[in-house]
Amino acid sequence: MIEIVHIGNYGKSDCKSIYFLGPSLMEKHHYNWCPVAIQILRKFNFCGTVFVPLFKEGHESLHADDRTAWELQCLDRASAIAIGVPSAYEFLRISSLAVESSLHRYAGKIVVGHPLSSKNQPHRPYYLFGNKTIPVESTLQTMLVHAVRITQSNK
């Protein structure tokens, strides 16, 4: 069973967990890949926690400092960090992802999903994260397969 944990909640356990990180998930008018990713994880029968850095509908009042504290604590707790960079985001600044994930870039927790059809693939993720050992998958599904494997080895 998947436990979905949104900003402001911390979940019940420290078992296998995946933190979804991606550009502009907070912007409602931009594509949100999280619902599709959760469906894929359900098909995989993933049993664990998924940290989604979005407010649950109707619970959008949290001070920015508290939101940042939540993000940092959940990034630390996560067994894996799945960074989805859909091709639609070529025009967006995604350098903040490098900052948010920089504390974990050498911990073996990160996998990036970046479509092969994107410009500068695979150089852009390597440039952003500064570590060529971070796996870069070309689809959301293969990124999640890799993330699930990471959770199995980082319990």
Side-chain angles (χ1 to χ4, degrees):
M1 183 170 142
I2 297 177
E3 176 187 21
I4 310 298
V5 177
H6 293 273
I7 290 178
N9 295 311
Y10 288 89
K12 299 174 190 151
S13 67
D14 287 317
C15 65
K16 294 187 282 187
S17 56
I18 301 172
Y19 188 103
F20 287 170
L21 188 59
S24 297
L25 287 175
M26 298 293 284
E27 300 292 330
K28 292 186 182 206
H29 62 280
H30 291 168
Y31 174 72
N32 178 5
W33 54 271
C34 295
V36 175
I38 291 167
Q39 288 177 347
I40 292 169
L41 288 173
R42 285 192 172 118
K43 287 180 185 175
F44 294 163
N45 294 318
F46 176 71
C47 184
T49 302
V50 175
F51 297 108
V52 180
L54 295 171
F55 291 106
K56 194 170 184 178
E57 197 68 37
H59 298 89
E60 298 175 4
S61 59
L62 191 64
H63 189 273
D65 290 343
D66 294 330
R67 186 177 74 224
T68 300
W70 178 91
E71 290 172 350
L72 291 173
Q73 185 173 353
C74 292
L75 280 165
D76 284 342
R77 286 179 58 197
S79 307
I81 300 169
I83 303 177
V85 185
S87 59
Y89 289 102
E90 281 300 331
F91 64 95
L92 294 177
R93 289 187 52 194
I94 58 175
S95 59
S96 65
L97 295 177
V99 173
E100 290 174 317
S101 62
S102 64
L103 298 173
H104 302 282
R105 70 178 169 192
Y106 297 105
K109 293 172 60 164
I110 297 175
V111 60
V112 176
H114 190 62
L116 290 173
S117 62
S118 296
K119 294 178 187 173
N120 301 322
Q121 186 357 355
H123 306 292
R124 181 174 231 170
Y126 296 142
Y127 169 74
L128 283 174
F129 302 106
N131 183 350
K132 289 190 177 185
T133 63
I134 293 174
V136 179
E137 299 293 346
S138 61
T139 68
L140 185 58
Q141 183 165 331
T142 56
M143 176 185 71
L144 293 169
V145 166
H146 202 122
V148 169
R149 284 190 199 129
I150 291 171
T151 67
Q152 294 167 343
S153 63
N154 288 343
K155 292 180 190 178

